[in-house]
């Protein structure tokens, strides 16, 4: 998928040229007012900007002399507020979408959308009688029932409280696994992006500062993501074993074996491990007299100085990027520079599942 | 008791009000839709034209319509050219006059109702592959239903109650242009207060009941704005 748009609106300009993967979840990530929603609306065709080009697979939706109106684009759009049709029941909202899909393009039956979002008990209700979380689940199911080739979501969780977010995130993760449908997900929430995204586009002030696989993007020292207080690395892992005696769960990954507090997850399930840069310390020799369990041999790739005497170190562990936040003094004392062999100790790691 | 002539006038009135309301809904719906959506900078001029009957003395409107309907007036000439019925002192003329006179009572509630629907539901429908016409009928109209109710009742009731315009362009031809309000006027002129009470009381009660229905069924909408 290729999207190029140039939009000038008063002081604000959006100028992006993106090539995005045709599968998986791509997050459009950035602060508010950086053009994420404008870009998503342009991709949907809800706003027409003449200076644009948009191609999905083999289909062109916009170029110099073509503009396919939104109702002829096979897409699904989930707005920040659920925006259900208030005059229709939940079932009719879903049918509204399904009935307008040409038979040849029907890929997601209504029943499947209902099952994926767990809204089977809500079908006969009116939107006015649903909670915020339920409404958003119905809105997502409705977008799926449109059998889109591309699913667009504009901060679908932003208007919900923490608890409701926690209620919907697992459904979004399951979409990811169950459906082969590319998802463009706009968000300014680090947590959501860390849980969902495979690919990340960093938008700042109307420009795409970078675009790439999420593990790469989070750890690139030329981007802002690696420098904030929440800088972290994401590592894909598989649950390999539970330790009854010490109440631990072991995870295998390209980095090595992680030990985390025991979680009730079946062996073999895929999870993401978050390792915050500030929780990683570096040593030159392997420590055995330490309480830290997660220790991996690593190679320093790059070191960047931060404010307040800190430095961020980008490491490669078994080919997978990780970050460590150390003091500049330690970085100098250990002689950290590109190619240096070290041991990374992760004081704590978080499991996303 | 109402006289036979009163019942004839009632028939003419109901027929006029029903036809005028139908024509108004057919013309007013696209107009109101357009007014609620357009970003045309001079739309306020058109809104003022639509609202004009709210403030204009009906006799003024009636006078200009009479001129326009006459054999030398633009509408009179047009009707003659297409072989239509004469407009002055005819039921057709009364219908045209009523449509203009009751226009704000239909267009304004519809415009407000369409505006209250907002853009979002229509955008959602567009992303669900609904064409513009489909969106209008499947989303905008059902969501604007309270506005349609208000518009229908007000357009009907206001047409039933008109007097000045009818007097100027319709005259007082029983069975053709004599409507209830004119028949009432005749009774009062003839000092037939008993008959006048029947008509006045009936009209008062009917109008009141219609407004009760409108206000009771949708409290969300302002009924009219000046």
């Amino acid at each position: 998928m290729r999207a190029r748009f140039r939009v000038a609106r008063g002081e604000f300009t959006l100028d992006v040229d993106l090539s995005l993967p045709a599968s998986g979840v791509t997050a459009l990530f950035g602060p508010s007012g950086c053009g994420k929603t404008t870009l998503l609306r342009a991709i949907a065709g809800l706003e027409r900007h003449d200076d644009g080009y948009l191609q999905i697979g083999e289909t062109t939706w916009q170029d110099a002399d073509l503009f396919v109106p939104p109702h002829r684009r096979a897409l699904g759009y989930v707005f920040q507020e659920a925006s259900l049709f208030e005059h229709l029941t939940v079932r009719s909202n879903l049918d509204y979408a399904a009935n307008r899909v040409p038979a040849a393009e029907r890929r997601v039956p209504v029943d499947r959308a209902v099952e994926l979002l767990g809204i089977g008990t809500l079908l006969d209700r009116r939107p006015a009688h649903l909670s915020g979380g339920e409404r958003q689940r119905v809105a997502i199911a409705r977008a799926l029932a449109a059998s889109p080739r591309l699913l667009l979501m504009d901060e679908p969780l932003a208007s919900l409280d923490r608890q409701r977010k926690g209620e919907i995130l697992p459904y979004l993760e399951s979409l990811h696994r169950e459906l082969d449908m590319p998802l463009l997900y706009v968000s300014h929430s680090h947590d959501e992006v860390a849980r969902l995204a495979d690919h990340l586009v960093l938008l700042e002030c109307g420009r795409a500062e970078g675009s790439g696989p999420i593990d790469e993007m989070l750890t690139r020292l030329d981007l802002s993501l690696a420098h904030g207080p929440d800088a972290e690395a994401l590592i894909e892992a598989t649950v390999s074993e539970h330790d009854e005696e010490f109440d631990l769960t072991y995870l295998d990954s390209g980095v090595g074996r992680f030990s985390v507090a025991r979680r009730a997850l079946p062996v073999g399930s895929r999870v993401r491990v978050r390792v915050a840069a500030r929780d990683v310390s570096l040593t030159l020799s392997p420590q055995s007299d330490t309480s830290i369990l997660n220790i991996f041999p690593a190679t320093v790739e790059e070191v960047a100085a931060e404010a307040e005497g800190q430095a961020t170190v980008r490491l490669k562990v078994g080919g997978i990027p990780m970050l460590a936040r150390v003091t500049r003094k330690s970085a100098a004392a250990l002689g950290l520079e590109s190619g240096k062999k070290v041991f990374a100790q992760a004081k704590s790691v978080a499991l996303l599942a | 008791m109402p006289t036979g002539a009163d019942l004839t006038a009632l028939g003419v009135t109901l027929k006029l009000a029903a036809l005028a309301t139908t024509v108004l809904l057919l013309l007013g719906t696209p107009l109101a839709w357009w007014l609620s959506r357009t970003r045309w900078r001079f739309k306020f001029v058109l809104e003022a034209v639509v609202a004009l009957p709210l403030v204009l003395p009906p006799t003024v409107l009636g006078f200009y319509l009479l001129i326009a309907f006459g054999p030398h007036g633009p509408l009179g000439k047009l009707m003659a050219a297409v072989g239509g019925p004469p407009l002055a002192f005819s039921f057709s003329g009364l219908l045209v006059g009523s449509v203009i006179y009751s226009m704000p009572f239909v267009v304004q509630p519809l415009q407000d109702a369409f505006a209250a629907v907002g853009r979002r539901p229509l955008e959602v429908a567009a992303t669900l592959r609904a064409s513009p016409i489909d969106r209008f009928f499947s989303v905008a109209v059902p969501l604007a239903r309270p506005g349609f109710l208000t518009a229908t009742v007000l357009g009907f009731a206001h047409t039933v109650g008109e007097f000045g315009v009818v007097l100027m362009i319709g005259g007082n031809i029983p069975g053709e242009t004599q409507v209830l309000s004119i028949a009432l006027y005749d009774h009062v002129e003839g000092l037939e207060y008993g008959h006048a009470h029947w008509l006045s009381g009936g009209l008062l009660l009917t109008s009141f009941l219609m407004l009760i229905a409108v206000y009771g069924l949708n409290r969300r909408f302002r009924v009219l704005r000046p």
Side-chain angles (χ1 to χ4, degrees):
Chain A
M1 143 171 198
R2 168 115 194 276
R4 183 178 62 71
F5 287 99
R6 189 170 302 141
V7 181
R9 194 182 286 153
E11 292 287 286
F12 173 78
T13 40
L14 174 72
D15 189 352
V16 292
D17 188 348
L18 299 168
S19 287
L20 302 174
S23 65
V25 179
T26 300
L28 297 177
F29 181 74
S32 300
C34 66
K36 304 186 298 285
T37 295
T38 305
L39 176 58
L40 205 66
R41 290 176 62 84
I43 290 171
L46 292 173
E47 280 172 31
R48 183 172 185 162
H49 303 291
D50 290 330
D51 193 356
Y53 177 83
L54 179 62
Q55 189 186 339
I56 309 291
E58 298 299 301
T59 317
T60 304
W61 279 349
Q62 184 175 350
D63 64 19
D65 28 50
L66 172 80
F67 179 82
V68 178
H71 67 275
R72 299 225 176 83
R73 301 183 181 195
L75 55 84
Y77 198 114
V78 179
F79 292 83
Q80 190 167 334
E81 322 78 41
S83 311
L84 300 178
F85 296 131
E86 300 288 334
H87 62 295
L88 300 175
T89 60
V90 168
R91 188 191 303 274
S92 304
N93 265 278
L94 299 173
D95 288 342
Y96 190 100
N99 292 341
R100 285 165 173 78
V101 181
E105 294 178 36
R106 211 160 282 163
R107 297 199 296 134
V108 187
V110 169
D111 293 346
R112 179 99 175 98
V114 167
E115 173 202 339
L116 278 169
L117 274 303
I119 54 171
T121 57
L122 310 176
L123 292 176
D124 295 320
R125 295 221 218 139
R126 291 261 172 184
H129 298 117
L130 301 178
S131 74
E134 289 169 341
R135 293 169 67 86
Q136 202 55 279
R137 269 152 65 197
V138 174
I140 294 168
R142 183 176 62 178
L144 292 178
S147 292
R149 292 182 53 197
L150 172 65
L151 195 52
L152 307 171
M153 294 195 187
D154 186 4
E155 310 221 20
L157 307 185
S159 60
L160 304 173
D161 57 40
R162 254 185 99 82
Q163 199 184 341
R164 301 266 173 260
K165 276 182 197 168
E167 172 192 321
I168 295 188
L169 267 167
Y171 290 107
L172 289 176
E173 285 172 330
S174 69
L175 294 188
H176 189 181
R177 288 193 302 269
E178 303 281 326
L179 296 173
D180 175 30
M181 193 182 284
L183 167 60
L184 259 184
Y185 188 95
V186 161
S187 180
H188 66 260
S189 155
H190 206 109
D191 285 350
E192 289 169 30
V193 168
R195 284 187 69 161
L196 294 174
D198 305 309
H199 193 94
L200 190 146
V201 177
L202 180 64
L203 277 176
E204 273 170 11
C205 308
R207 301 180 56 83
E209 295 294 329
S211 168
I214 184 154
D215 54 349
E216 205 49 48
M217 289 291 289
L218 288 177
T219 53
R220 264 172 63 179
L221 294 186
D222 59 331
L223 298 175
S224 60
L225 294 166
H227 298 292
D230 300 327
E232 63 182 5
L234 282 182
I235 295 153
E236 299 283 345
T238 313
V239 176
S240 61
E241 209 183 311
H242 295 291
D243 184 331
E244 307 287 340
E245 187 184 354
F246 293 111
D247 249 350
L248 292 174
T249 294
Y250 298 120
L251 311 166
D252 280 335
S253 73
V255 166
R257 171 166 281 209
F258 282 101
S259 313
V260 299
R262 185 166 175 181
R263 287 279 296 269
L265 288 168
V267 168
S269 42
R270 307 274 303 155
V271 294
R272 278 181 173 186
V273 176
R274 283 173 102 161
V275 184
R278 60 169 186 272
D279 291 335
V280 176
S281 57
L282 301 176
T283 60
L284 291 182
S285 49
Q287 308 266 303
S288 51
D289 50 350
T290 170
S291 64
I292 291 174
L293 292 171
N294 299 306
I295 302 179
F296 310 103
T299 308
V300 173
E301 285 225 319
E302 210 181 338
V303 183
E306 304 281 353
E308 295 173 355
Q310 300 284 304
T312 302
V313 185
R314 179 181 152 103
L315 309 159
K316 274 279 171 79
V317 186
I320 292 168
M322 261 173 76
L323 293 175
R325 182 73 44 81
V326 299
T327 58
R328 280 217 299 278
K329 184 174 175 186
S330 308
L334 297 178
L336 299 182
E337 56 179 36
S338 180
K340 181 94 176 172
K341 303 286 183 195
V342 294
F343 290 86
Q345 324 189 110
K347 193 168 69 189
S348 77
V349 300
L351 197 73
L352 295 179
Chain B
M1 284 293 288
T3 65
D6 289 344
L7 292 177
T8 309
L10 175 67
V12 172
T13 305
L14 292 179
K15 183 172 136 198
L16 178 66
L19 279 172
T21 308
T22 307
V23 172
L24 274 169
L25 286 173
L26 291 176
L27 295 178
T29 302
L31 176 60
W33 174 247
W34 182 79
L35 283 172
S36 74
R37 307 280 292 173
T38 183
R39 289 183 186 159
W40 184 47
R41 54 193 293 219
F42 293 113
K43 92 168 183 180
F44 66 91
V45 177
L46 197 58
E47 288 180 309
V49 170
V50 169
L52 210 48
L54 288 176
V55 292
L56 204 61
T59 42
V60 173
L61 182 64
F63 174 67
Y64 283 118
L65 283 175
L66 187 63
I67 302 287
F69 288 170
H72 304 295
L75 290 176
K77 277 191 197 159
L78 181 74
M79 282 309 259
V82 300
L87 289 172
F89 305 111
S90 72
F91 184 82
S92 317
L94 219 52
L95 183 59
V96 174
S98 302
V99 164
I100 295 172
Y101 184 50
S102 296
M103 185 77 80
F105 293 81
V106 172
V107 171
Q108 287 190 0
L110 288 181
Q111 188 185 334
D112 285 349
F114 285 139
V117 170
R119 285 178 185 273
R120 180 49 56 78
L122 296 151
E123 287 186 345
V124 171
T127 65
L128 298 175
R129 312 197 198 203
S131 69
I133 295 281
D134 182 2
R135 305 204 273 274
F136 177 75
F137 286 106
S138 64
V139 175
V141 169
L143 286 176
R145 210 176 56 177
F148 277 94
L149 178 72
T150 307
T152 306
V153 173
L154 287 186
F156 189 89
H158 190 249
T159 306
V160 168
E162 79 181 82
F163 177 76
V165 178
V166 182
L167 200 61
M168 295 296 270
I169 62 175
N172 192 358
I173 307 164
E176 172 79 13
T177 64
Q178 191 187 62
V179 294
L180 280 181
S181 57
I182 305 278
L184 169 63
Y185 182 71
D186 279 353
H187 286 313
V188 176
E189 284 281 88
L191 297 177
E192 300 156 349
Y193 277 30
H195 293 305
H197 269 301
W198 267 102
L199 291 187
S200 298
L203 281 172
L204 178 66
L205 191 66
T206 315
S207 307
F208 185 60
L209 289 178
M210 285 201 269
L211 287 180
I212 289 274
V214 172
Y215 282 107
L217 285 172
N218 43 13
R219 284 158 225 222
R220 222 147 53 81
F221 286 91
R222 289 171 301 163
V223 169
L224 279 183
R225 56 175 189 277

